[in-house]
Amino acid sequence: PIYPVAYHDALGAQLGAAARDAFVRTYLLPGLYHCSGGEGPSRIDLLTAMLAWVEQGAAPDAIVARSAAPGPSSGFGLPTMPPPGARAPVPADAPVTKGSDSVARPVYPYPFVAVWDGTGDPAQASSYVRGSTPMAVPVPAWAGSEFYRPYAPRQR
């Protein structure tokens, strides 16, 4: 996903990392296909974390992602969205149960990743820590990179 990383890096280059991190976080979900599905945990409640940040000043760090429940396909090999109100959100600290919530992992703000602690249950989010080595996603020079710079009128 080059565009979110490019935007994140451009904000840091323009504003400085501390100013950027005061108002934005970028979360990359490993193993998630473009819109949904994939082998990685894809059910994530970003709204609750965002509301806590805006209303209580609690900036989000790790947000727990859970595996999607198996269900009907959209025809593209991706699960369909459940009808509104079909299932209540699962609290981040709830234990993982077998079945629809079989895997839970923390997702840390870019550029960090979740690293298994080597001892706990790999299906439990509590068995992961923030990676000590930042995730490196090289953003090569590309034709659209100028769109991620501040606008400056042309001099005539």
Side-chain angles (χ1 to χ4, degrees):
I2 192 170
Y3 302 117
V5 172
Y7 182 72
H8 178 89
D9 291 347
L11 281 175
Q14 182 64 31
L15 304 174
R20 174 200 58 213
D21 294 345
F23 77 95
V24 70
R25 299 282 194 279
T26 300
Y27 292 89
L28 303 175
L29 302 178
L32 179 64
Y33 295 155
H34 180 67
C35 293
S36 69
E39 60 276 358
S42 60
R43 287 184 31 235
I44 187 166
D45 181 10
L46 295 170
L47 182 60
T48 299
M50 185 173 59
L51 286 173
W53 193 5
V54 170
E55 295 175 355
Q56 299 158 9
D61 188 40
I63 299 176
V64 175
R66 296 179 172 273
S67 58
S73 173
S74 64
F76 296 101
L78 305 173
T80 58
M81 295 299 291
R87 184 175 176 147
V90 178
D93 58 352
V96 175
T97 58
K98 297 300 178 201
S100 63
D101 293 323
S102 60
V103 175
R105 299 257 165 74
V107 180
Y108 291 94
Y110 173 81
F112 298 99
V113 296
V115 176
W116 181 51
D117 66 10
T119 59
D121 180 357
Q124 299 285 340
S126 59
S127 299
Y128 291 82
V129 296
R130 178 191 287 254
S132 59
T133 303
M135 177 174 61
V137 177
V139 179
W142 54 293
S145 63
E146 290 190 20
F147 292 116
Y148 293 95
R149 293 192 182 115
Y151 173 75
R154 293 183 192 179
Q155 300 296 323
R156 294 184 184 211

